[in-house]
Amino acid sequence: TLCVMACLMAVALATNAGNGNKNKNSNSLNNIEDPSNWVSTNEIEQLPMLKEVTLRRLEDMSADEGATLLDKL
C-alpha cells in the first residue's frame, strides 16, 4: 500500500511538473515560506485522514485534484 501511494505521488508530481504552469510557486528553497503559511488551519481540518485516501478514491479524481490532495497531505 505504501509503495502504491509513493508511485501515485510520483505520478502526480510528474503530472504537475509537466503542466508547465509557471504561475505556481516554485519548490525552490529560495522561495520557502514560514510553515504556518503553507496551509491554513481550516484547510488542515478539511483534509481527510491519510488512511481514508484510497487508491480507488484517487482514481476517481482528476489528475490535478489527486495531485493537490497529495501535496497537501
Side-chain angles (χ1 to χ4, degrees):
T1 306
L2 187 56
C3 184
V4 172
M5 290 298 290
C7 290
L8 285 172
M9 188 175 296
V11 169
L13 292 174
T15 301
N16 255 359
N19 286 340
N21 187 353
K22 296 187 181 195
N23 292 334
K24 293 185 177 182
N25 291 337
S26 170
N27 284 337
S28 168
L29 291 177
N30 295 333
N31 295 328
I32 202 160
E33 295 179 29
D34 182 19
S36 64
N37 293 330
W38 293 347
V39 182
S40 72
T41 305
N42 190 30
E43 288 176 306
I44 292 172
E45 290 172 350
Q46 292 177 3
L47 286 174
M49 291 178 25
L50 188 56
K51 66 181 180 181
E52 294 174 355
V53 179
T54 62
L55 180 58
R56 173 71 60 202
R57 184 172 177 184
L58 289 172
E59 287 175 342
D60 291 340
M61 295 179 181
S62 71
D64 286 338
E65 288 173 330
T68 300
L69 178 61
L70 291 175
D71 283 344
K72 288 180 180 179
L73 290 173

